[in-house]
Amino acid sequence: MNSVPNERCREIIEILINSEGPIIIDEIAHILNVSNKTVRNDLKTIDEFMEKNNIGKIIKKPRVGIWIEISSKGKCFLDDLFAANTKYIQPFSVEKRRLYITKRLLKANGVITAKQLAEELFISRVTIHKDLKEIERLLEKYDLKLVRKQGKGMEIRGNEIKYRKAMSDLLAILNNDSQESGTISSTNTLHFNSRITYESQAILKELLPDVDIPVIEDILNKAENKMFFLFTDESFNSLAVHIAISINRIVTNMSVQMENNILENLKKHKKYALSRWICKKLEDELCISIPESEVAYVSTHIIGSKIRQRLDEDNDKILDNIEPEIIILANEIINLAGNVLSVDFSNDEKLLVGLSLHLQPTIYRLKYGHSIRNPLLEDIKKNYPSVFGASWATSILFEKHFDVKVNEEEIGYIAIHIGAALERNRHSVRALIVCGSGIGTAHLVAIRLKRAFNDIEIVDITNIQEYKNKDEKSYDFVITTVPILESKKPVVRVRPLVSDRDIDEIKAIINNIDALRESSKK
C-alpha cells in the first residue's frame, strides 16, 4: 500500500505522532469535529495500514489513552509518503495564517468547517486546531466565543456591538499590514479621489464585497456639507468603515440591540439628527431598512469622531460650541501637565482650543466603548517620554469629571497636543502641510521641522480634500503625511514624528528651491 487510506486517517496519524503523550479518543474526535465512533473505525484502518507496511503500531491503554509506536525507518516512510501527497504549502507565517482564519470566521455568514480552512490554507486540521486555540484566546478580549457544532462546523457568537468591534480592529490590523508590506490588491477597482485610504478600500472590498463603499462616502460628504464642521480624514475613513460593517450585518439580519435609556439619551444629542439623515439616505440608495437602534449606533460613532479645526476659525466661536464641562477638563489637563513639566501653558490659546476639540469626541468614545488606534503611540512614548508621562498623569481627571477610564491610545493623542504646545515657536519659510490625522498631529509636524530648519514658513495646514483647492502660488513645496498623487510643486511625504530621513529629503527640496531662485535672479 503506497498511500494513506484517507485524509482523516493521515490527520489522526499526525495527531498521534505530534502528541507529547497518550491522548484520548474524545480529544481526537473534538479536533477533527467527528464522532467517537468514527475515530475508532479509523484507528482500525490505520492499524491495518501500519501492519501491512511494517512501520509500527497503535497502543491503547484503558483510562490512559492511545499513542503510536513507530520505528525511525517507519517515521521516514511516513514522511516521504506524506510529502508525496501534500499540496503546495502557502508561505504564510503563523501570525498571518491566524489572521486569515480570524478573517474567514468573522466574514462567514454561518458556520465554517476546519476542513474548509485546512483546504484553503493547504495545511492539516491538526494545525488548524492549534491555531483555533490561539484565536479563541483573542476572541475572549471581546467576550466572543467560537461555538462548534458537531458535524456542521463552527461560528463566532457573542454581543453584536463587540462582534463589530472585533471586525473593526481586524480591519485596522489588515490595513496596517497592507501599509507595511506596500501591497494593495484589486487596485483596478479602487477610487483614487476617495478620502477612504486605498488600503481600506481594498480590504473592505475583500471582506464586504456586497457593500457599496462609494455610496457611503458620497453620503458622508453630503452630510458634512449640511453641517458647520468637517471630519478629519482619519475619522471620515473610520466612520465609513463602521457604517460599511453595520450595513453588512443589517442585511444578514444581525442588528445591534440598544437599551431604551441609552437610546433616549442619544436622541437628545444634536448630532443624532445627522445620523438619522445619513441612515435615511443609505436606506434610499441601498434599498435596505435600518432600525432605530442602528441609527443610534451610527450616532455614537459620529459623536465620537474627531472634527477638523480650520486655522481661520475664530477661537471664541469654536469654544462657544463646545460643552462647558469639556473646557473645564481641558483647562485642568493643561494646568496639571504644565505643573508636571514645569511649563506655563495658561496663555496658549491654540492648546486650549485644539485640546477641547479633541476631548469632546474622546469622552463619547470612552463612554460607548469605541476604540481609536494611535499609530504614533510607540514613537510618542519613545521620543517624548516626559510629555507622555505628564499626559498620563492627567488620566485621573477623566474619572473625576466623567467617570470613564482613558487608555494609552487616547493619552498618546493628548501628548501630541501637549508636545506641540511645549515646542511651539515662531517659524519662517513657504511650505504647505497636508495631514489627515487632525490639527494636533499637523501642528506637531510643523513644530518638529524647526529643529532642523530656521527658514520654513508654514503657510497653511490642510487635509487632502481641501489641498486640491489651494493656490499653488502661495507655497513652494508640500510636506504631507498622506499620499498625494498629483502636484505641480515638490512633495515630501513624512511620518507624523518626522524622521531623520524625512529631514534629509526636505533639505534636498529646500536646496533645490534655493538653487532655482538664485538662477532666476541671473
Side-chain angles (χ1 to χ4, degrees):
M1 183 178 294
N2 57 5
S3 64
V4 184
N6 58 54
E7 183 65 24
R8 193 171 57 243
C9 286
R10 168 186 167 156
E11 290 176 328
I12 292 174
I13 292 172
E14 286 189 9
I15 291 171
L16 293 171
I17 289 175
N18 293 321
S19 178
E20 296 178 355
I23 184 172
I24 61 174
I25 290 176
D26 283 345
E27 177 64 15
I28 298 174
H30 175 72
I31 293 173
L32 301 179
N33 198 29
V34 296
S35 67
N36 181 294
K37 183 179 179 181
T38 298
V39 174
R40 290 182 185 277
N41 289 336
D42 285 340
L43 287 171
K44 290 177 184 179
T45 304
I46 293 169
D47 253 339
E48 293 172 2
F49 163 75
M50 296 184 73
E51 184 179 345
K52 286 182 180 179
N53 290 281
N54 193 29
I55 57 175
K57 58 183 177 179
I58 293 175
I59 308 297
K60 304 174 186 175
K61 190 170 183 179
R63 293 183 296 279
V64 175
I66 62 174
W67 64 94
I68 194 169
E69 284 188 355
I70 187 169
S71 64
S72 56
K73 183 178 178 181
K75 182 69 166 58
C76 289
F77 172 84
L78 286 177
D79 286 343
D80 291 341
L81 189 60
F82 289 172
N85 290 279
T86 297
K87 299 174 184 177
Y88 170 71
I89 305 297
Q90 292 193 31
F92 283 140
S93 66
V94 174
E95 292 76 16
K96 288 187 182 295
R97 189 178 68 235
R98 288 172 181 168
L99 193 61
Y100 176 89
I101 294 170
T102 306
K103 178 175 68 176
R104 287 287 283 112
L105 289 167
L106 286 168
K107 181 182 176 181
N109 293 320
V111 296
I112 185 170
T113 66
K115 183 179 179 182
Q116 282 177 270
L117 293 170
E119 289 175 350
E120 289 174 19
L121 290 164
F122 303 108
I123 56 177
S124 70
R125 275 191 281 180
V126 181
T127 303
I128 292 292
H129 179 71
K130 291 178 181 176
D131 289 339
L132 289 174
K133 283 187 175 180
E134 293 303 317
I135 290 169
E136 283 182 293
R137 292 192 185 98
L138 170 67
L139 293 175
E140 286 176 2
K141 287 171 49 182
Y142 303 93
D143 295 327
L144 299 175
K145 291 186 177 180
L146 190 60
V147 178
R148 294 174 174 82
K149 296 180 179 180
Q150 188 169 311
K152 293 184 178 180
M154 56 195 157
E155 62 181 339
I156 295 174
R157 288 186 184 174
N159 178 275
E160 178 63 20
I161 290 178
K162 292 183 178 180
Y163 186 100
R164 295 184 191 186
K165 184 178 187 318
M167 182 169 275
S168 172
D169 286 355
L170 172 68
L171 282 162
I173 293 169
L174 291 170
N175 196 329
N176 186 59
D177 184 62
S178 177
Q179 289 178 339
E180 288 182 356
S181 64
T183 57
I184 304 175
S185 61
S186 306
T187 53
N188 59 315
T189 61
L190 301 185
H191 299 268
F192 291 97
N193 290 324
S194 172
R195 285 173 69 184
I196 303 173
T197 65
Y198 308 146
E199 293 87 358
S200 290
Q201 288 184 63
I203 293 163
L204 285 169
K205 182 174 177 59
E206 178 189 356
L207 284 182
L208 313 173
D210 298 326
V211 179
D212 197 330
I213 306 302
V215 165
I216 295 173
E217 180 172 13
D218 182 59
I219 290 172
L220 288 180
N221 279 324
K222 289 175 180 176
E224 281 186 324
N225 291 335
K226 284 176 61 66
M227 307 302 289
F228 64 89
F229 63 80
L230 294 174
F231 297 112
T232 65
D233 287 346
E234 178 185 43
S235 287
F236 186 97
N237 192 86
S238 177
L239 186 55
V241 167
H242 283 293
I243 290 175
I245 293 172
S246 296
I247 291 171
N248 173 258
R249 298 296 287 173
I250 290 169
V251 298
T252 54
N253 298 315
M254 299 300 292
S255 293
V256 299
Q257 302 299 315
M258 192 78 67
E259 294 180 13
N260 285 334
N261 62 323
I262 296 176
L263 181 61
E264 293 306 314
N265 283 334
L266 285 170
K267 285 182 177 180
K268 296 174 185 176
H269 198 282
K270 60 185 178 182
K271 289 182 183 174
Y272 190 84
L274 180 61
S275 177
R276 190 186 294 279
W277 184 89
I278 289 171
C279 290
K280 181 64 173 65
K281 288 293 183 182
L282 290 169
E283 286 182 324
D284 294 342
E285 292 285 342
L286 303 177
C287 300
I288 59 174
S289 178
I290 300 179
E292 190 77 25
S293 60
E294 292 285 354
V295 177
Y297 176 71
V298 171
S299 76
T300 64
H301 287 286
I302 292 174
I303 295 168
S305 293
K306 293 163 69 177
I307 304 304
R308 187 165 60 83
Q309 176 191 356
R310 296 180 183 274
L311 293 183
D312 58 353
E313 283 185 282
D314 181 75
N315 287 335
D316 291 335
K317 185 178 178 181
I318 293 172
L319 292 174
D320 285 343
N321 288 305
I322 295 175
E323 297 168 21
E325 296 85 355
I326 297 291
I327 297 175
I328 291 171
L329 173 62
N331 273 310
E332 290 195 18
I333 287 174
I334 290 168
N335 290 334
L336 179 53
N339 288 337
V340 173
L341 295 168
S342 300
V343 178
D344 183 8
F345 292 130
S346 59
N347 294 319
D348 193 331
E349 192 174 27
K350 281 188 176 179
L351 176 58
L352 176 61
V353 173
L355 189 58
S356 297
L357 273 174
H358 175 78
L359 289 173
Q360 185 149 278
T362 298
I363 296 302
Y364 283 95
R365 283 197 297 271
L366 296 172
K367 278 186 176 181
Y368 294 109
H370 297 326
S371 59
I372 183 171
R373 289 185 71 253
N374 189 339
L376 309 177
L377 181 60
E378 294 307 315
D379 285 339
I380 293 167
K381 291 164 73 173
K382 178 181 177 182
N383 295 316
Y384 293 89
S386 59
V387 174
F388 184 81
S391 302
W392 188 253
T394 69
S395 61
I396 58 172
L397 300 174
F398 288 83
E399 294 187 54
K400 170 187 170 183
H401 288 283
F402 293 96
D403 194 28
V404 293
K405 290 186 180 295
V406 68
N407 53 46
E408 275 196 337
E409 308 283 332
E410 298 285 5
I411 289 295
Y413 279 114
I414 291 172
I416 288 174
H417 287 276
I418 300 298
L422 189 65
E423 300 188 32
R424 194 151 4 247
N425 211 322
R426 293 181 62 188
H427 300 283
S428 62
V429 164
R430 295 208 318 165
L432 176 67
I433 292 182
V434 180
C435 185
S437 300
I439 200 71
T441 304
H443 274 305
L444 185 58
V445 171
I447 288 159
R448 287 278 284 172
L449 295 176
K450 79 165 188 179
R451 291 185 172 181
F453 308 101
N454 296 317
D455 55 348
I456 290 184
E457 174 191 0
I458 306 303
V459 297
D460 202 354
I461 298 172
T462 185
N463 70 359
I464 191 68
Q465 199 71 11
E466 292 195 341
Y467 153 75
K468 301 169 186 175
N469 300 320
K470 293 293 179 184
D471 181 6
E472 291 180 348
K473 295 179 181 178
S474 67
Y475 58 90
D476 297 309
F477 71 109
V478 181
I479 299 171
T480 177
T481 62
V482 293
I484 291 179
L485 297 179
E486 295 183 19
S487 175
K488 293 181 181 178
K489 292 293 180 73
V491 174
V492 182
R493 186 175 178 184
V494 302
R495 290 172 56 83
L497 292 181
V498 189
S499 68
D500 290 340
R501 183 176 177 181
D502 297 332
I503 294 296
D504 289 338
E505 290 185 20
I506 293 171
K507 283 180 180 177
I509 293 290
I510 291 174
N511 289 338
N512 189 48
I513 290 171
D514 287 342
L516 289 173
R517 284 175 175 171
E518 287 298 318
S519 64
S520 66
K521 294 176 183 178
K522 295 177 181 179

